[in-house]
Amino acid sequence: MVVRMEIDWKDGMAEFWGSVVLTWLVIGGSVGSGWIEWGLVLAVCWAAFNGAHILPVLTAGSMFNSQDWEGGLTKIGWQVGGAVGVGLLAAITGGDGVPYPEVLEFNTDLGHWLTMFIGGGLVYIVWSSCDLTDLKGLGVAAFAVGMAAAAGMALTGGADLGTNISGLIDGGSFDVEGLAMFLANTIVAGLGAVMAVKVNESL
């Protein structure tokens, strides 16, 4: 029996180009840790790329709750692919990527993981409850994610991993710790989203 995977190119391109824009803004320094910057950038990206998650932590929350593993992993692949493209362009033109600058070893700080878990639940519940085609819903979702970023939630995982991979083109080394942090951050945020949905359903 042959299982064929159908690719939704429209959805994939939305994720790819949304990630390209976000990564470009991260590299350019337009997106810091401030909630206003994150809110504005995500509002613009979600409005421009309708239906795209753009952030792997949101896709993880959606994937864990719907158990659509194929669709979720495909989306994350497109997101990382968009960041790889920007990283390759940066490497070719002599620019810098955005590998995890603060990660010298795997983060064992409990506060970080609590932030990822609680933040993952909060942003998923708000984001999934909002109508992103409506200006009000778009703003609420974007600024909820922005507030989570200001609280310390790691949201640039796709950009970090993508430019980490693309950095190999100019002889750079692959940051294994960065990959481990990307996977762990994404999974913990996804688990937080699952818990948030269960709590919300019990209310």
mmCIF file of all heavy atoms in Angstrom, residues 124-142:
data_model
loop_
_atom_site.group_PDB
_atom_site.id
_atom_site.type_symbol
_atom_site.label_atom_id
_atom_site.label_comp_id
_atom_site.label_asym_id
_atom_site.label_seq_id
_atom_site.Cartn_x
_atom_site.Cartn_y
_atom_site.Cartn_z
ATOM 1 N N TYR A 124 -1.990 30.179 22.678
ATOM 2 C CA TYR A 124 -2.790 29.303 21.823
ATOM 3 C C TYR A 124 -4.285 29.520 22.046
ATOM 4 O O TYR A 124 -5.065 29.600 21.085
ATOM 5 C CB TYR A 124 -2.447 27.833 22.055
ATOM 6 C CG TYR A 124 -3.284 26.923 21.184
ATOM 7 C CD1 TYR A 124 -2.997 26.796 19.831
ATOM 8 C CD2 TYR A 124 -4.393 26.254 21.698
ATOM 9 C CE1 TYR A 124 -3.787 26.008 19.010
ATOM 10 C CE2 TYR A 124 -5.189 25.464 20.884
ATOM 11 C CZ TYR A 124 -4.880 25.345 19.545
ATOM 12 O OH TYR A 124 -5.674 24.577 18.732
ATOM 13 N N ILE A 125 -4.693 29.620 23.310
ATOM 14 C CA ILE A 125 -6.111 29.819 23.615
ATOM 15 C C ILE A 125 -6.612 31.127 23.010
ATOM 16 O O ILE A 125 -7.679 31.181 22.387
ATOM 17 C CB ILE A 125 -6.349 29.804 25.140
ATOM 18 C CG1 ILE A 125 -6.353 28.367 25.664
ATOM 19 C CG2 ILE A 125 -7.654 30.479 25.502
ATOM 20 C CD1 ILE A 125 -7.522 27.524 25.186
ATOM 21 N N VAL A 126 -5.845 32.191 23.186
ATOM 22 C CA VAL A 126 -6.267 33.488 22.647
ATOM 23 C C VAL A 126 -6.256 33.457 21.128
ATOM 24 O O VAL A 126 -7.225 33.856 20.471
ATOM 25 C CB VAL A 126 -5.354 34.618 23.168
ATOM 26 C CG1 VAL A 126 -5.724 35.945 22.505
ATOM 27 C CG2 VAL A 126 -5.459 34.738 24.680
ATOM 28 N N TRP A 127 -5.157 32.984 20.555
ATOM 29 C CA TRP A 127 -4.999 32.961 19.094
ATOM 30 C C TRP A 127 -6.069 32.101 18.424
ATOM 31 O O TRP A 127 -6.672 32.507 17.427
ATOM 32 C CB TRP A 127 -3.605 32.444 18.762
ATOM 33 C CG TRP A 127 -3.349 32.150 17.315
ATOM 34 C CD1 TRP A 127 -3.087 33.052 16.328
ATOM 35 C CD2 TRP A 127 -3.319 30.859 16.696
ATOM 36 N NE1 TRP A 127 -2.891 32.402 15.129
ATOM 37 C CE2 TRP A 127 -3.029 31.053 15.331
ATOM 38 C CE3 TRP A 127 -3.500 29.558 17.175
ATOM 39 C CZ2 TRP A 127 -2.924 29.996 14.438
ATOM 40 C CZ3 TRP A 127 -3.396 28.506 16.282
ATOM 41 C CH2 TRP A 127 -3.108 28.734 14.931
ATOM 42 N N SER A 128 -6.336 30.919 18.973
ATOM 43 C CA SER A 128 -7.301 30.005 18.357
ATOM 44 C C SER A 128 -8.744 30.467 18.560
ATOM 45 O O SER A 128 -9.645 30.019 17.849
ATOM 46 C CB SER A 128 -7.132 28.588 18.916
ATOM 47 O OG SER A 128 -7.375 28.557 20.311
ATOM 48 N N SER A 129 -8.964 31.366 19.521
ATOM 49 C CA SER A 129 -10.316 31.858 19.787
ATOM 50 C C SER A 129 -10.652 33.108 18.983
ATOM 51 O O SER A 129 -11.809 33.524 18.943
ATOM 52 C CB SER A 129 -10.478 32.170 21.279
ATOM 53 O OG SER A 129 -10.255 31.018 22.068
ATOM 54 N N CYS A 130 -9.632 33.706 18.371
ATOM 55 C CA CYS A 130 -9.841 34.968 17.653
ATOM 56 C C CYS A 130 -10.056 34.741 16.162
ATOM 57 O O CYS A 130 -9.474 33.830 15.570
ATOM 58 C CB CYS A 130 -8.633 35.890 17.846
ATOM 59 S SG CYS A 130 -8.455 36.532 19.521
ATOM 60 N N ASP A 131 -10.880 35.580 15.581
ATOM 61 C CA ASP A 131 -11.074 35.590 14.133
ATOM 62 C C ASP A 131 -10.027 36.527 13.540
ATOM 63 O O ASP A 131 -10.143 37.752 13.642
ATOM 64 C CB ASP A 131 -12.483 36.078 13.806
ATOM 65 C CG ASP A 131 -12.747 36.146 12.305
ATOM 66 O OD1 ASP A 131 -11.867 35.710 11.520
ATOM 67 O OD2 ASP A 131 -13.824 36.640 11.920
ATOM 68 N N LEU A 132 -8.997 35.945 12.924
ATOM 69 C CA LEU A 132 -7.894 36.756 12.420
ATOM 70 C C LEU A 132 -8.247 37.534 11.157
ATOM 71 O O LEU A 132 -7.448 38.342 10.687
ATOM 72 C CB LEU A 132 -6.664 35.876 12.164
ATOM 73 C CG LEU A 132 -6.101 35.132 13.381
ATOM 74 C CD1 LEU A 132 -4.797 34.445 13.020
ATOM 75 C CD2 LEU A 132 -5.904 36.063 14.566
ATOM 76 N N THR A 133 -9.431 37.283 10.600
ATOM 77 C CA THR A 133 -9.870 38.078 9.453
ATOM 78 C C THR A 133 -10.558 39.361 9.908
ATOM 79 O O THR A 133 -10.848 40.238 9.100
ATOM 80 C CB THR A 133 -10.840 37.274 8.565
ATOM 81 O OG1 THR A 133 -12.016 36.939 9.323
ATOM 82 C CG2 THR A 133 -10.182 35.996 8.068
ATOM 83 N N ASP A 134 -10.820 39.445 11.208
ATOM 84 C CA ASP A 134 -11.426 40.639 11.797
ATOM 85 C C ASP A 134 -10.335 41.462 12.467
ATOM 86 O O ASP A 134 -9.468 40.919 13.156
ATOM 87 C CB ASP A 134 -12.482 40.223 12.823
ATOM 88 C CG ASP A 134 -13.070 41.422 13.555
ATOM 89 O OD1 ASP A 134 -13.815 42.189 12.936
ATOM 90 O OD2 ASP A 134 -12.758 41.580 14.756
ATOM 91 N N LEU A 135 -10.353 42.760 12.265
ATOM 92 C CA LEU A 135 -9.288 43.621 12.780
ATOM 93 C C LEU A 135 -9.156 43.521 14.296
ATOM 94 O O LEU A 135 -8.042 43.470 14.832
ATOM 95 C CB LEU A 135 -9.556 45.075 12.371
ATOM 96 C CG LEU A 135 -8.456 46.088 12.722
ATOM 97 C CD1 LEU A 135 -7.142 45.700 12.052
ATOM 98 C CD2 LEU A 135 -8.876 47.495 12.312
ATOM 99 N N LYS A 136 -10.278 43.465 14.997
ATOM 100 C CA LYS A 136 -10.240 43.370 16.455
ATOM 101 C C LYS A 136 -9.623 42.047 16.898
ATOM 102 O O LYS A 136 -8.750 42.012 17.771
ATOM 103 C CB LYS A 136 -11.651 43.505 17.027
ATOM 104 C CG LYS A 136 -11.698 43.434 18.549
ATOM 105 C CD LYS A 136 -13.124 43.596 19.057
ATOM 106 C CE LYS A 136 -13.173 43.484 20.583
ATOM 107 N NZ LYS A 136 -14.572 43.631 21.089
ATOM 108 N N GLY A 137 -10.072 40.953 16.288
ATOM 109 C CA GLY A 137 -9.530 39.642 16.638
ATOM 110 C C GLY A 137 -8.052 39.541 16.319
ATOM 111 O O GLY A 137 -7.267 38.970 17.083
ATOM 112 N N LEU A 138 -7.669 40.108 15.187
ATOM 113 C CA LEU A 138 -6.264 40.113 14.777
ATOM 114 C C LEU A 138 -5.410 40.845 15.806
ATOM 115 O O LEU A 138 -4.342 40.372 16.210
ATOM 116 C CB LEU A 138 -6.133 40.779 13.410
ATOM 117 C CG LEU A 138 -4.729 40.867 12.801
ATOM 118 C CD1 LEU A 138 -4.212 39.479 12.465
ATOM 119 C CD2 LEU A 138 -4.755 41.748 11.550
ATOM 120 N N GLY A 139 -5.889 41.991 16.245
ATOM 121 C CA GLY A 139 -5.137 42.782 17.214
ATOM 122 C C GLY A 139 -5.009 42.092 18.558
ATOM 123 O O GLY A 139 -3.931 42.081 19.166
ATOM 124 N N VAL A 140 -6.100 41.489 19.026
ATOM 125 C CA VAL A 140 -6.071 40.793 20.320
ATOM 126 C C VAL A 140 -5.085 39.633 20.285
ATOM 127 O O VAL A 140 -4.267 39.459 21.197
ATOM 128 C CB VAL A 140 -7.480 40.286 20.694
ATOM 129 C CG1 VAL A 140 -7.407 39.358 21.904
ATOM 130 C CG2 VAL A 140 -8.409 41.456 20.990
ATOM 131 N N ALA A 141 -5.144 38.825 19.222
ATOM 132 C CA ALA A 141 -4.243 37.679 19.108
ATOM 133 C C ALA A 141 -2.789 38.119 19.021
ATOM 134 O O ALA A 141 -1.908 37.562 19.686
ATOM 135 C CB ALA A 141 -4.615 36.845 17.879
ATOM 136 N N ALA A 142 -2.529 39.127 18.203
ATOM 137 C CA ALA A 142 -1.155 39.594 18.013
ATOM 138 C C ALA A 142 -0.565 40.152 19.299
ATOM 139 O O ALA A 142 0.580 39.848 19.658
ATOM 140 C CB ALA A 142 -1.114 40.650 16.911
#
